[in-house]
Amino acid sequence: MRRLNRKKTLNLMKELDAFPKVPESYIETTATGGTVSLIAFTTMALLTIMEFMVYRDTWMKYEYEVDKDFTSKLRINIDITVAMKCQYIGADVLDLAETMVSSADGLVYEPVIFELSPLQREWQRMLQIIQSRLQEEHSLQDIIFKSALKSASTALPPREDKSFQPPDACRIHGQLYVNKVAGNFHITVGKAIPHPRGHAHLAALVSHESYNFSHRIDHLSFGELITGVINPLDGTEKIASDHNQMFQYFITVVPTKLHTYKIAAETHQFSVTERERVINHAAGSHGVSGIFMKYDISSLMVTVTEEHMPFWQFLVRLCGIIGGIFSTTGILHGIGGFIVEIICCRFRLGSHKSTSVPVQDGHLNNHVPLVTEDAMQ
């Protein structure tokens, strides 16, 4: 009974076979068919390799929403070197709420040499090349997001040479926590002091001839510090052509949530426009000499997520490649054979017409003459 049930099951499965087998005696192979098959297999192999490379790659997905977090503090990461001694300059932040942030809480004033060493100059040159490429090819920002590591460092390397030159510049670096509203971070002459109507700087004790706001921005970012990410102003260097020169940076900050396979962080991207001018009250160019960074917070928040192709989608695309190439090459081979057969038939018909026997009355005689008894004799 079990054998009978197995035979019935096998017969039922054979009847349901959607891929009937053709006996080899009914199969005819041709040279053209072999050539088309070779081309098809080669194309399938190449497309499969390319599809696998796409499957291994990832891409960044950008989503936008309204930023509802308006109570938290905004962190500003600063590393700027100014070509003046530390006792002559002061840095602070004043936001739209007229709230002054004391620089003593988060910023460090370090006397340094403004001129870079050869290794540091090479680092700055490479950073400027990367910045120029980022402005031309915005897709490189995705690569930077993917390769961002908390352990990687894009900071200015320490000096490799031991210079005995006295410090002629001041490196201002550290972090500031400010309200999440528009504000103005500035570095100007004299230390900042609080004032009932705002704030002021003690600039009267500094000689006017010692003003030199040539500066180098080694790092400027907002939010959580991600050392592997290159920001728009990193590596910027400006040389002042006059003592009374003002450098202005207008910055738009966009809150950003970054989720990759390596890190997850809440940071901020920003775009910047620059302007510099010489202060000359007689010519109508009013203001204060110094470095001014006016920032504004965007109301939109960007979520950047690194995504990967699912395995099932890779299998579906792979099956589509194989099936599509088989079907397409089969159709093209059939059409090509049909065209060749038509051309060959025309050539055969033409050869038969050229062997016809002409008669004197101008008509073609395609009949074979009858053999009579008189001709036999």
Side-chain angles (χ1 to χ4, degrees), residues 36 40 320-335:
V36 173
I321 289 173
I322 296 174
I325 290 177
F326 261 120
S327 302
T328 304
T329 52
I331 293 172
L332 293 177
H333 182 246
I335 294 174

Side-chain angles (χ1 to χ4, degrees), residues 117-292:
S117 65
L119 180 61
Q120 292 175 331
R121 183 62 65 181
E122 182 66 20
W123 170 87
Q124 187 190 39
R125 188 182 67 84
M126 292 299 298
L127 192 58
Q128 290 175 350
I129 292 175
I130 295 174
Q131 293 285 17
S132 62
R133 292 294 300 275
L134 284 173
Q135 294 178 1
E136 297 174 358
E137 303 178 19
H138 300 286
S139 60
L140 293 177
Q141 186 65 43
D142 293 347
I143 300 176
I144 293 178
F145 281 150
K146 293 178 187 179
S147 60
L149 290 171
K150 292 185 178 180
S151 58
S153 178
T154 56
L156 179 69
R159 298 186 71 93
E160 75 281 4
D161 58 344
K162 295 181 180 180
S163 177
F164 297 99
Q165 178 183 352
D168 59 349
C170 182
R171 179 190 175 198
I172 304 174
H173 60 95
Q175 297 86 31
L176 290 175
Y177 291 89
V178 299
N179 297 322
K180 208 169 182 180
V181 295
N184 180 8
F185 169 76
H186 52 272
I187 302 173
T188 187
V189 178
K191 301 299 180 181
I193 57 173
H195 193 272
R197 296 184 179 179
H199 78 294
H201 288 262
L202 293 175
L205 302 177
V206 182
S207 173
H208 186 76
E209 299 298 327
S210 63
Y211 287 13
N212 184 6
F213 285 101
S214 300
H215 62 280
R216 183 176 61 252
I217 303 175
D218 296 325
H219 180 79
L220 180 69
S221 63
F222 297 82
E224 183 178 348
L225 181 61
I226 305 176
T227 53
V229 174
I230 299 176
N231 297 278
L233 286 176
D234 293 354
T236 301
E237 185 176 76
K238 299 291 184 179
I239 304 299
S241 59
D242 192 273
H243 294 292
N244 291 333
Q245 192 150 354
M246 173 190 285
F247 296 92
Q248 292 177 306
Y249 299 92
F250 301 92
I251 300 173
T252 302
V253 183
V254 180
T256 304
K257 290 184 178 180
L258 182 62
H259 300 282
T260 67
Y261 290 106
K262 295 181 180 180
I263 62 171
E266 293 188 6
T267 181
H268 292 71
Q269 301 180 83
F270 66 90
S271 60
V272 59
T273 55
E274 306 174 11
R275 186 189 177 193
E276 57 183 82
R277 59 189 174 92
V278 176
I279 302 301
N280 188 351
H281 298 286
S285 178
H286 303 290
V288 179
S289 304
I291 304 167
F292 296 85

Side-chain angles (χ1 to χ4, degrees), residues 74-76 78 93 101-103 106-107 174-178 185:
L74 176 64
R75 175 179 172 179
I76 306 178
I78 302 166
V93 177
V101 179
S102 177
S103 61
L107 296 181
Q175 297 86 31
L176 290 175
Y177 291 89
V178 299
F185 169 76

Side-chain angles (χ1 to χ4, degrees), residues 306-335:
E306 184 178 6
E307 292 192 345
H308 187 273
M309 181 187 296
F311 184 70
W312 64 267
Q313 189 175 354
F314 170 70
L315 291 180
V316 170
R317 292 166 66 99
L318 200 61
C319 293
I321 289 173
I322 296 174
I325 290 177
F326 261 120
S327 302
T328 304
T329 52
I331 293 172
L332 293 177
H333 182 246
I335 294 174

Side-chain angles (χ1 to χ4, degrees), residues 34-104:
T35 304
V36 173
S37 300
L38 184 60
I39 295 174
F41 291 146
T42 305
T43 307
M44 277 190 288
L46 292 175
L47 291 179
T48 301
I49 294 172
M50 294 174 63
E51 191 66 28
F52 181 72
M53 293 175 64
V54 173
Y55 170 71
R56 290 185 57 189
D57 195 14
T58 58
W59 60 89
M60 308 305 292
K61 180 182 178 181
Y62 291 82
E63 296 178 335
Y64 302 89
E65 59 180 322
V66 177
D67 185 17
K68 300 178 182 178
D69 182 14
F70 52 86
T71 58
S72 62
K73 293 288 186 177
L74 176 64
R75 175 179 172 179
I76 306 178
N77 308 295
I78 302 166
D79 191 351
I80 301 175
T81 301
V82 184
M84 292 181 66
K85 293 184 178 181
C86 293
Q87 62 265 29
Y88 295 157
I89 58 176
D92 63 321
V93 177
L94 188 67
D95 59 23
L96 289 182
E98 298 296 329
T99 303
M100 177 180 171
V101 179
S102 177
S103 61

